[in-house]
């Protein structure tokens, strides 16, 4: 009964391909996020959805498109993958009314573009 | 704009020695501050929240608004403390957006 689950855990793909990462949370949280952790372990927010509505959209290439079919799911689709997209992508969730309790993170998706 | 800095990218201490991981922030309002920990190839986990003033796994952190710091401390380091530690800030007005510092990798030498 994992709280925030991401699939796949590992993804190796060639440059130019299109791929998706899925995230699901069963915590009843309202808000979900995508973070990118680069090779230097730096964490940067990419997107945030609240109840299926996009609320944070940081400076991310248009090749990245999040989709939230419902508040329990937030997927990330990446078009025309580039070498620089190689990173670990973390999904997280929280609820604004209890934001002080912090985020719950998924276990990450390690994307390797070759 | 909010910013979180962690001056040490790497920190090595011997087992049993005290450890302090530094965190400074810049924000003009009243932030909420957190420490997250990431053990090797695992997910990030919330370690501490400043508002709860708790001690988790022997770690404590005190918010010093005068120095805009939120340093993480433990009196006696254990080998299992080896991990990546992130300081994080949530601004009072942002819609739940949390900014993470660059992280400090702690290595406890047996």
């Amino acid at each position: 009964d994992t709280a925030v689950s991401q699939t796949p855990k590992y993804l190796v793909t060639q440059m130019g391909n299109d791929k998706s990462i899925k995230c699901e949370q069963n915590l009843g949280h309202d808000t979900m996020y995508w973070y990118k952790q680069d090779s230097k372990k730096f964490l940067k927010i990419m997107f945030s959805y609240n109840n299926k509505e996009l609320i944070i959209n940081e400076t991310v290439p248009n090749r990245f498109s999040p989709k939230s079919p419902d508040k329990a799911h937030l997927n990330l689709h990446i078009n025309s993958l580039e070498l620089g997209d190689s990173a670990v992508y973390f999904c997280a969730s929280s609820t604004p009314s209890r934001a002080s309790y912090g985020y719950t993170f998924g276990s990450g998706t390690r994307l390797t573009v070759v | 704009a909010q910013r979180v800095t962690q001056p040490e990218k790497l920190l090595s201490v011997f087992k049993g020695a005290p450890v302090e991981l530094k965190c400074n922030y810049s924000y003009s309002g009243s932030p909420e501050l957190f420490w997250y920990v990431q053990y090797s190839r695992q997910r990030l986990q919330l370690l501490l929240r400043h508002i709860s003033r708790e001690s988790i796994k022997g770690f404590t952190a005190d918010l010093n608004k005068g120095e805009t710091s939120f340093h993480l401390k433990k009196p006696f380091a254990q080998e299992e403390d080896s991990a990546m530690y992130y300081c994080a800030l949530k601004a009072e007005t942002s819609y739940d957006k949390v900014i993470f510092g660059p992280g400090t990798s702690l290595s406890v030498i047996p």
Side-chain angles (χ1 to χ4, degrees), chain A residues 16-44:
Chain A
N17 283 351
D18 304 338
K19 291 292 178 186
S20 292
I21 308 171
K22 296 186 176 182
C23 179
E24 176 182 1
Q25 55 95 3
N26 61 6
L27 297 164
H29 286 168
D30 300 315
T31 310
M32 297 182 72
Y33 313 80
W34 279 111
Y35 276 82
K36 179 180 179 181
Q37 185 179 47
D38 62 24
S39 58
K40 296 181 178 178
K41 303 290 188 182
F42 191 72
L43 269 170
K44 187 168 167 50

mmCIF file of all heavy atoms in Angstrom, chain A residues 16-44:
data_model
loop_
_atom_site.group_PDB
_atom_site.id
_atom_site.type_symbol
_atom_site.label_atom_id
_atom_site.label_comp_id
_atom_site.label_asym_id
_atom_site.label_seq_id
_atom_site.Cartn_x
_atom_site.Cartn_y
_atom_site.Cartn_z
ATOM 1 N N GLY A 16 15.405 11.200 -29.003
ATOM 2 C CA GLY A 16 14.360 11.413 -29.987
ATOM 3 C C GLY A 16 13.063 10.685 -29.694
ATOM 4 O O GLY A 16 12.018 11.003 -30.284
ATOM 5 N N ASN A 17 13.126 9.707 -28.789
ATOM 6 C CA ASN A 17 11.906 8.969 -28.447
ATOM 7 C C ASN A 17 10.985 9.805 -27.566
ATOM 8 O O ASN A 17 11.383 10.798 -26.966
ATOM 9 C CB ASN A 17 12.263 7.668 -27.722
ATOM 10 C CG ASN A 17 12.765 6.602 -28.662
ATOM 11 O OD1 ASN A 17 12.698 6.759 -29.891
ATOM 12 N ND2 ASN A 17 13.292 5.521 -28.118
ATOM 13 N N ASP A 18 9.723 9.347 -27.482
ATOM 14 C CA ASP A 18 8.731 9.929 -26.578
ATOM 15 C C ASP A 18 8.428 8.912 -25.492
ATOM 16 O O ASP A 18 8.198 7.741 -25.789
ATOM 17 C CB ASP A 18 7.436 10.253 -27.322
ATOM 18 C CG ASP A 18 7.644 11.171 -28.508
ATOM 19 O OD1 ASP A 18 8.656 11.888 -28.543
ATOM 20 O OD2 ASP A 18 6.778 11.160 -29.406
ATOM 21 N N LYS A 19 8.407 9.383 -24.259
ATOM 22 C CA LYS A 19 8.147 8.463 -23.137
ATOM 23 C C LYS A 19 7.261 9.129 -22.097
ATOM 24 O O LYS A 19 7.196 10.352 -22.005
ATOM 25 C CB LYS A 19 9.457 8.029 -22.460
ATOM 26 C CG LYS A 19 10.329 7.130 -23.311
ATOM 27 C CD LYS A 19 9.665 5.770 -23.506
ATOM 28 C CE LYS A 19 10.526 4.885 -24.402
ATOM 29 N NZ LYS A 19 9.838 3.619 -24.724
ATOM 30 N N SER A 20 6.609 8.279 -21.286
ATOM 31 C CA SER A 20 5.761 8.774 -20.197
ATOM 32 C C SER A 20 6.140 8.134 -18.878
ATOM 33 O O SER A 20 6.551 6.975 -18.835
ATOM 34 C CB SER A 20 4.286 8.465 -20.478
ATOM 35 O OG SER A 20 3.829 9.215 -21.572
ATOM 36 N N ILE A 21 5.993 8.910 -17.828
ATOM 37 C CA ILE A 21 6.172 8.417 -16.460
ATOM 38 C C ILE A 21 4.849 8.649 -15.741
ATOM 39 O O ILE A 21 4.234 9.709 -15.888
ATOM 40 C CB ILE A 21 7.284 9.177 -15.716
ATOM 41 C CG1 ILE A 21 8.581 9.191 -16.520
ATOM 42 C CG2 ILE A 21 7.531 8.560 -14.356
ATOM 43 C CD1 ILE A 21 9.644 10.117 -15.944
ATOM 44 N N LYS A 22 4.451 7.638 -14.956
ATOM 45 C CA LYS A 22 3.172 7.755 -14.277
ATOM 46 C C LYS A 22 3.349 7.862 -12.773
ATOM 47 O O LYS A 22 4.296 7.307 -12.202
ATOM 48 C CB LYS A 22 2.293 6.549 -14.615
ATOM 49 C CG LYS A 22 1.939 6.471 -16.080
ATOM 50 C CD LYS A 22 0.957 5.359 -16.370
ATOM 51 C CE LYS A 22 0.560 5.374 -17.840
ATOM 52 N NZ LYS A 22 -0.435 4.351 -18.159
ATOM 53 N N CYS A 23 2.444 8.565 -12.151
ATOM 54 C CA CYS A 23 2.488 8.717 -10.692
ATOM 55 C C CYS A 23 1.071 8.634 -10.142
ATOM 56 O O CYS A 23 0.134 9.216 -10.711
ATOM 57 C CB CYS A 23 3.116 10.054 -10.314
ATOM 58 S SG CYS A 23 3.195 10.336 -8.532
ATOM 59 N N GLU A 24 0.956 7.924 -9.035
ATOM 60 C CA GLU A 24 -0.335 7.775 -8.382
ATOM 61 C C GLU A 24 -0.152 7.902 -6.877
ATOM 62 O O GLU A 24 0.825 7.388 -6.327
ATOM 63 C CB GLU A 24 -0.937 6.403 -8.710
ATOM 64 C CG GLU A 24 -2.239 6.109 -8.007
ATOM 65 C CD GLU A 24 -2.780 4.723 -8.330
ATOM 66 O OE1 GLU A 24 -2.123 3.978 -9.083
ATOM 67 O OE2 GLU A 24 -3.869 4.404 -7.821
ATOM 68 N N GLN A 25 -1.063 8.587 -6.233
ATOM 69 C CA GLN A 25 -1.003 8.666 -4.766
ATOM 70 C C GLN A 25 -2.351 8.258 -4.179
ATOM 71 O O GLN A 25 -3.404 8.590 -4.732
ATOM 72 C CB GLN A 25 -0.573 10.069 -4.310
ATOM 73 C CG GLN A 25 -1.416 11.228 -4.832
ATOM 74 C CD GLN A 25 -2.510 11.687 -3.906
ATOM 75 O OE1 GLN A 25 -2.662 11.193 -2.791
ATOM 76 N NE2 GLN A 25 -3.290 12.660 -4.353
ATOM 77 N N ASN A 26 -2.268 7.540 -3.065
ATOM 78 C CA ASN A 26 -3.495 7.071 -2.406
ATOM 79 C C ASN A 26 -3.665 7.706 -1.033
ATOM 80 O O ASN A 26 -4.266 7.101 -0.132
ATOM 81 C CB ASN A 26 -3.491 5.537 -2.311
ATOM 82 C CG ASN A 26 -2.326 5.004 -1.490
ATOM 83 O OD1 ASN A 26 -1.570 5.771 -0.884
ATOM 84 N ND2 ASN A 26 -2.170 3.700 -1.443
ATOM 85 N N LEU A 27 -3.126 8.917 -0.906
ATOM 86 C CA LEU A 27 -3.173 9.607 0.378
ATOM 87 C C LEU A 27 -4.337 10.579 0.472
ATOM 88 O O LEU A 27 -4.528 11.207 1.511
ATOM 89 C CB LEU A 27 -1.862 10.378 0.604
ATOM 90 C CG LEU A 27 -0.621 9.502 0.691
ATOM 91 C CD1 LEU A 27 0.635 10.336 0.527
ATOM 92 C CD2 LEU A 27 -0.591 8.761 2.010
ATOM 93 N N GLY A 28 -5.044 10.749 -0.621
ATOM 94 C CA GLY A 28 -6.127 11.727 -0.631
ATOM 95 C C GLY A 28 -5.623 13.165 -0.704
ATOM 96 O O GLY A 28 -6.375 14.099 -0.418
ATOM 97 N N HIS A 29 -4.357 13.329 -1.088
ATOM 98 C CA HIS A 29 -3.815 14.682 -1.203
ATOM 99 C C HIS A 29 -4.406 15.406 -2.399
ATOM 100 O O HIS A 29 -4.807 14.798 -3.391
ATOM 101 C CB HIS A 29 -2.286 14.617 -1.350
ATOM 102 C CG HIS A 29 -1.590 14.278 -0.068
ATOM 103 N ND1 HIS A 29 -0.245 13.938 -0.031
ATOM 104 C CD2 HIS A 29 -2.030 14.242 1.215
ATOM 105 C CE1 HIS A 29 0.105 13.711 1.220
ATOM 106 N NE2 HIS A 29 -0.955 13.875 1.990
ATOM 107 N N ASP A 30 -4.406 16.755 -2.289
ATOM 108 C CA ASP A 30 -4.976 17.567 -3.362
ATOM 109 C C ASP A 30 -3.951 17.974 -4.405
ATOM 110 O O ASP A 30 -4.298 18.308 -5.530
ATOM 111 C CB ASP A 30 -5.565 18.861 -2.777
ATOM 112 C CG ASP A 30 -6.653 18.584 -1.771
ATOM 113 O OD1 ASP A 30 -7.508 17.738 -2.063
ATOM 114 O OD2 ASP A 30 -6.638 19.205 -0.698
ATOM 115 N N THR A 31 -2.689 18.018 -4.002
ATOM 116 C CA THR A 31 -1.662 18.601 -4.852
ATOM 117 C C THR A 31 -0.572 17.583 -5.155
ATOM 118 O O THR A 31 -0.137 16.850 -4.264
ATOM 119 C CB THR A 31 -1.033 19.839 -4.166
ATOM 120 O OG1 THR A 31 -2.086 20.698 -3.718
ATOM 121 C CG2 THR A 31 -0.147 20.597 -5.130
ATOM 122 N N MET A 32 -0.156 17.568 -6.412
ATOM 123 C CA MET A 32 0.910 16.675 -6.837
ATOM 124 C C MET A 32 1.961 17.457 -7.608
ATOM 125 O O MET A 32 1.665 18.502 -8.196
ATOM 126 C CB MET A 32 0.351 15.531 -7.692
ATOM 127 C CG MET A 32 -0.615 14.638 -6.910
ATOM 128 S SD MET A 32 -1.243 13.251 -7.843
ATOM 129 C CE MET A 32 0.209 12.195 -7.945
ATOM 130 N N TYR A 33 3.178 16.932 -7.585
ATOM 131 C CA TYR A 33 4.325 17.656 -8.139
ATOM 132 C C TYR A 33 5.228 16.710 -8.930
ATOM 133 O O TYR A 33 5.272 15.509 -8.648
ATOM 134 C CB TYR A 33 5.194 18.233 -7.011
ATOM 135 C CG TYR A 33 4.450 18.949 -5.928
ATOM 136 C CD1 TYR A 33 3.819 18.238 -4.908
ATOM 137 C CD2 TYR A 33 4.360 20.340 -5.913
ATOM 138 C CE1 TYR A 33 3.128 18.887 -3.903
ATOM 139 C CE2 TYR A 33 3.674 20.997 -4.914
ATOM 140 C CZ TYR A 33 3.056 20.270 -3.905
ATOM 141 O OH TYR A 33 2.377 20.914 -2.919
ATOM 142 N N TRP A 34 5.968 17.323 -9.847
ATOM 143 C CA TRP A 34 7.104 16.641 -10.458
ATOM 144 C C TRP A 34 8.353 17.439 -10.163
ATOM 145 O O TRP A 34 8.392 18.664 -10.371
ATOM 146 C CB TRP A 34 6.948 16.510 -11.979
ATOM 147 C CG TRP A 34 6.070 15.375 -12.391
ATOM 148 C CD1 TRP A 34 4.840 15.448 -12.961
ATOM 149 C CD2 TRP A 34 6.356 13.979 -12.265
ATOM 150 N NE1 TRP A 34 4.330 14.190 -13.196
ATOM 151 C CE2 TRP A 34 5.247 13.263 -12.778
ATOM 152 C CE3 TRP A 34 7.447 13.253 -11.774
ATOM 153 C CZ2 TRP A 34 5.182 11.869 -12.806
ATOM 154 C CZ3 TRP A 34 7.381 11.865 -11.814
ATOM 155 C CH2 TRP A 34 6.277 11.193 -12.316
ATOM 156 N N TYR A 35 9.371 16.728 -9.663
ATOM 157 C CA TYR A 35 10.679 17.310 -9.420
ATOM 158 C C TYR A 35 11.699 16.557 -10.261
ATOM 159 O O TYR A 35 11.571 15.346 -10.465
ATOM 160 C CB TYR A 35 11.080 17.193 -7.943
ATOM 161 C CG TYR A 35 10.538 18.274 -7.053
ATOM 162 C CD1 TYR A 35 9.245 18.203 -6.553
ATOM 163 C CD2 TYR A 35 11.320 19.364 -6.696
ATOM 164 C CE1 TYR A 35 8.747 19.198 -5.731
ATOM 165 C CE2 TYR A 35 10.830 20.368 -5.861
ATOM 166 C CZ TYR A 35 9.546 20.276 -5.391
ATOM 167 O OH TYR A 35 9.064 21.255 -4.567
ATOM 168 N N LYS A 36 12.719 17.287 -10.679
ATOM 169 C CA LYS A 36 13.825 16.668 -11.407
ATOM 170 C C LYS A 36 15.078 16.746 -10.538
ATOM 171 O O LYS A 36 15.418 17.808 -10.014
ATOM 172 C CB LYS A 36 14.064 17.411 -12.732
ATOM 173 C CG LYS A 36 15.219 16.840 -13.546
ATOM 174 C CD LYS A 36 15.400 17.619 -14.848
ATOM 175 C CE LYS A 36 16.565 17.076 -15.662
ATOM 176 N NZ LYS A 36 16.771 17.850 -16.925
ATOM 177 N N GLN A 37 15.731 15.594 -10.381
ATOM 178 C CA GLN A 37 16.997 15.552 -9.643
ATOM 179 C C GLN A 37 18.104 15.248 -10.632
ATOM 180 O O GLN A 37 18.158 14.160 -11.205
ATOM 181 C CB GLN A 37 16.948 14.494 -8.543
ATOM 182 C CG GLN A 37 18.191 14.493 -7.655
ATOM 183 C CD GLN A 37 18.113 13.442 -6.555
ATOM 184 O OE1 GLN A 37 17.774 12.301 -6.808
ATOM 185 N NE2 GLN A 37 18.445 13.832 -5.339
ATOM 186 N N ASP A 38 18.989 16.213 -10.823
ATOM 187 C CA ASP A 38 20.027 16.035 -11.848
ATOM 188 C C ASP A 38 21.206 15.231 -11.298
ATOM 189 O O ASP A 38 21.177 14.758 -10.161
ATOM 190 C CB ASP A 38 20.472 17.386 -12.404
ATOM 191 C CG ASP A 38 21.083 18.283 -11.340
ATOM 192 O OD1 ASP A 38 21.584 17.768 -10.312
ATOM 193 O OD2 ASP A 38 21.063 19.514 -11.516
ATOM 194 N N SER A 39 22.222 15.124 -12.115
ATOM 195 C CA SER A 39 23.367 14.274 -11.756
ATOM 196 C C SER A 39 24.132 14.806 -10.544
ATOM 197 O O SER A 39 24.835 14.068 -9.871
ATOM 198 C CB SER A 39 24.321 14.135 -12.942
ATOM 199 O OG SER A 39 24.761 15.417 -13.346
ATOM 200 N N LYS A 40 23.960 16.093 -10.267
ATOM 201 C CA LYS A 40 24.597 16.677 -9.084
ATOM 202 C C LYS A 40 23.668 16.651 -7.875
ATOM 203 O O LYS A 40 23.944 17.291 -6.867
ATOM 204 C CB LYS A 40 25.033 18.118 -9.373
ATOM 205 C CG LYS A 40 26.098 18.200 -10.451
ATOM 206 C CD LYS A 40 26.536 19.634 -10.702
ATOM 207 C CE LYS A 40 27.622 19.678 -11.749
ATOM 208 N NZ LYS A 40 28.056 21.055 -12.065
ATOM 209 N N LYS A 41 22.587 15.923 -7.995
ATOM 210 C CA LYS A 41 21.618 15.722 -6.906
ATOM 211 C C LYS A 41 20.802 16.971 -6.602
ATOM 212 O O LYS A 41 20.151 17.033 -5.565
ATOM 213 C CB LYS A 41 22.310 15.242 -5.611
ATOM 214 C CG LYS A 41 23.100 13.970 -5.782
ATOM 215 C CD LYS A 41 22.182 12.801 -5.992
ATOM 216 C CE LYS A 41 22.943 11.489 -5.965
ATOM 217 N NZ LYS A 41 22.070 10.348 -6.212
ATOM 218 N N PHE A 42 20.841 17.947 -7.503
ATOM 219 C CA PHE A 42 20.061 19.150 -7.276
ATOM 220 C C PHE A 42 18.608 18.886 -7.638
ATOM 221 O O PHE A 42 18.305 18.355 -8.702
ATOM 222 C CB PHE A 42 20.616 20.306 -8.107
ATOM 223 C CG PHE A 42 20.034 21.631 -7.747
ATOM 224 C CD1 PHE A 42 20.366 22.263 -6.569
ATOM 225 C CD2 PHE A 42 19.138 22.242 -8.597
ATOM 226 C CE1 PHE A 42 19.812 23.486 -6.226
ATOM 227 C CE2 PHE A 42 18.581 23.463 -8.266
ATOM 228 C CZ PHE A 42 18.912 24.091 -7.085
ATOM 229 N N LEU A 43 17.693 19.289 -6.727
ATOM 230 C CA LEU A 43 16.264 19.066 -6.920
ATOM 231 C C LEU A 43 15.584 20.328 -7.400
ATOM 232 O O LEU A 43 15.656 21.367 -6.744
ATOM 233 C CB LEU A 43 15.610 18.685 -5.596
ATOM 234 C CG LEU A 43 15.511 17.230 -5.236
ATOM 235 C CD1 LEU A 43 15.062 17.104 -3.799
ATOM 236 C CD2 LEU A 43 14.518 16.508 -6.131
ATOM 237 N N LYS A 44 14.860 20.211 -8.507
ATOM 238 C CA LYS A 44 14.201 21.406 -9.032
ATOM 239 C C LYS A 44 12.751 21.072 -9.372
ATOM 240 O O LYS A 44 12.481 20.077 -10.043
ATOM 241 C CB LYS A 44 14.939 21.882 -10.275
ATOM 242 C CG LYS A 44 14.445 23.210 -10.810
ATOM 243 C CD LYS A 44 15.400 23.741 -11.839
ATOM 244 C CE LYS A 44 14.813 24.896 -12.633
ATOM 245 N NZ LYS A 44 14.224 25.946 -11.817
#
